Amino acid sequence: MSDENNKRITFEEFIKTDQKHISGVDNELTALLKEILLAGKSISSISGRAPISGLTGTDGSVNQHGDKVKKLDLIAEEEMVSALRRATSVCMAVSEETEEVIHLNSENGNYIVSFDPIDGSANIDTNLSTGTIFSISKRQSKIGGKPDEEEVLQTGDVQVVAGYFLYGPALVFCFTAGSGLHQFILDSDTGTFILVRENCKIPGHGTVYSINEGGVETFSAGVKNYIRYCQEGDPATGRPYLSRYCGAMVADIHRILLEGGIFIYPRTDEFPSGKVRMLYECNPMSFIIEEAGGMSVNGRKRIMEVEPDDIHQQSPIFIGSTQNVKTVLSFLENQDQ
Ligand code: F6P
Ligand code: MG
């Protein structure tokens, strides 16, 4: 995006000048975001070179979710943790790849960060899109002592910033600080993130549904009926909808953000509580989509109102354009999610 003088607006300029959309982003938070941007750039460049530097494939271990850990999952986690340490304002972090809460260098840190270092990491070896998701919230307790680990278990509504990188043909960075959603693209010639959409809005209705339908036999009756609804012919509502699923939540939701529609990961026999994790996947993506004017629910209530009891808690999720989410909710009423 350019201003009236046709000037390209970098992330740094945006943060400095656009008080309307980043109120609450103080110097500490700005410094933290800049470190996270550096991590995103490194993860992108390491992922891009992975096939020639021997970094594809698994590292031989399995994480607490039962996923085979990819070499890049661990490298990306290290990049993020280093960024958070450099920022010095983060007291604790939660990462998809680490079972316990990570204590960082600052007992005086004001912020708690939850992150998924590489979302959709199963896509790495086939050179398909992946992403990094993060959520920043403020520490509730008094600063200046060992923070209480329970503090990471906050509802999504207390997030102050959420964002993601999408590692596709372009490196996309989207973030919200609670006053709209903003999208940047990395200009690889200059190494700077350039604003491409300020205050972006998701269409109110869309004709894409995004779900791994392989487990359909084990979906609840409500979800099965909704899938049938998506597949029925009805030109007035744009049905049958297009089915699009690439296996990285960030990429699938980014498409829905731009074009409208719905992303669903329901309960299945394999994942009876849903697959996607509350703290570093559901909450940040829900904050982002709500800031863009969309909706995100677990089938019963807004995702961001759910109080998590475990740092790696999973949840069903129905997220996207308001009209699509309302329709799926009408199918779920009085039924299992
Ligand atoms: O992190 C969870 C995740 O990798 C999401 O990015 C993605 O949408 C989903 O799992 C893919 O799961 P499945 O392979 O079961 O469709
Ligand atoms: Mg993920």
Side-chain angles (χ1 to χ4, degrees):
M1 179 180 278
S2 307
D3 66 11
E4 63 274 17
N5 301 318
N6 215 21
K7 187 172 165 287
R8 298 188 331 156
I9 300 169
T10 64
F11 174 80
E12 283 74 13
E13 288 161 345
F14 180 74
I15 281 281
K16 231 187 269 163
T17 54
D18 196 333
Q19 284 308 318
K20 188 167 71 185
H21 289 128
I22 47 108
S23 57
V25 180
D26 57 14
N27 289 343
E28 237 182 10
L29 213 39
T30 301
L32 172 55
L33 281 171
K34 284 184 183 168
E35 294 298 348
I36 292 176
L37 282 185
L38 288 178
K41 281 202 270 187
S42 302
I43 296 169
S44 169
S45 104
I46 296 167
S47 313
R49 293 177 45 79
I52 46 175
S53 43
L55 293 177
T56 50
T58 56
D59 95 319
S61 63
V62 171
N63 68 14
Q64 61 276 2
H65 315 288
D67 305 328
K68 286 185 185 151
V69 177
K70 299 273 181 183
K71 291 177 194 160
L72 274 180
D73 282 322
L74 299 179
I75 294 170
E77 177 177 67
E78 269 169 40
E79 289 293 330
M80 283 296 287
V81 170
S82 307
L84 304 184
R85 281 193 203 288
R86 288 194 304 268
T88 72
S89 59
V90 180
C91 58
M92 292 184 287
V94 173
S95 160
E96 175 174 324
E97 300 306 332
T98 296
E99 195 163 352
E100 308 290 338
V101 173
I102 303 169
H103 285 268
L104 294 162
N105 48 8
S106 175
E107 292 200 342
N108 292 322
N110 246 322
Y111 295 105
I112 296 169
V113 178
S114 301
F115 63 95
D116 181 356
I118 299 208
D119 178 59
S121 56
N123 283 357
I124 292 169
D125 293 353
T126 45
N127 194 31
L128 295 173
S129 293
T130 59
T132 297
I133 311 173
F134 66 91
S135 156
I136 306 178
S137 51
K138 219 164 184 168
R139 172 181 182 173
Q140 310 286 308
S141 62
K142 224 169 123 240
I143 298 192
K146 193 159 189 256
D148 179 357
E149 289 193 359
E150 291 285 306
E151 277 197 58
V152 302
L153 296 174
Q154 300 178 9
T155 61
D157 270 335
V158 307
Q159 293 171 100
V160 288
V161 174
Y164 63 78
F165 296 97
L166 168 59
Y167 310 116
L171 171 48
V172 172
F173 173 61
C174 284
F175 89 104
T176 180
S179 318
L181 175 69
H182 317 295
Q183 188 192 330
F184 298 79
I185 300 273
L186 181 73
D187 177 345
S188 51
D189 288 347
T190 60
T192 45
F193 282 92
I194 305 295
L195 184 67
V196 290
R197 278 200 183 82
E198 181 176 2
N199 204 15
C200 38
K201 294 291 172 204
I202 182 171
H205 175 256
T207 54
V208 169
Y209 73 107
S210 187
I211 181 169
N212 178 349
E213 270 175 80
V216 68
E217 283 306 312
T218 73
F219 296 169
S220 68
V223 176
K224 274 189 196 159
N225 289 339
Y226 178 70
I227 303 294
R228 271 188 221 114
Y229 166 89
C230 293
Q231 295 168 343
E232 273 164 18
D234 177 37
T237 51
R239 288 178 292 144
Y241 292 162
L242 288 172
S243 168
R244 292 285 182 269
Y245 189 76
C246 76
M249 182 193 195
V250 165
D252 284 315
I253 295 183
H254 187 71
R255 182 206 322 264
I256 301 262
L257 168 68
L258 300 188
E259 298 178 353
I262 188 162
F263 173 89
I264 300 175
Y265 210 111
R267 296 178 195 278
T268 65
D269 274 3
E270 191 182 358
F271 300 107
S273 308
K275 181 178 187 193
V276 187
R277 270 63 57 135
M278 284 295 300
L279 293 189
Y280 39 83
E281 296 179 314
C282 294
N283 277 341
M285 296 313 285
S286 300
F287 189 19
I288 284 164
I289 289 298
E290 285 197 7
E291 282 297 317
M295 279 178 76
S296 177
V297 298
N298 67 3
R300 290 269 177 272
K301 64 199 291 201
R302 273 178 73 236
I303 289 274
M304 290 203 291
E305 288 170 13
V306 175
E307 302 213 5
D309 348 280
D310 183 88
I311 64 171
H312 296 293
Q313 185 166 318
Q314 294 167 300
S315 171
I317 187 166
F318 304 82
I319 181 169
S321 297
T322 297
Q323 217 178 305
N324 300 64
V325 176
K326 283 189 174 160
T327 303
V328 78
L329 279 175
S330 71
F331 278 85
L332 302 179
E333 243 167 46
N334 306 321
Q335 303 229 26
D336 291 341
Q337 300 150 20

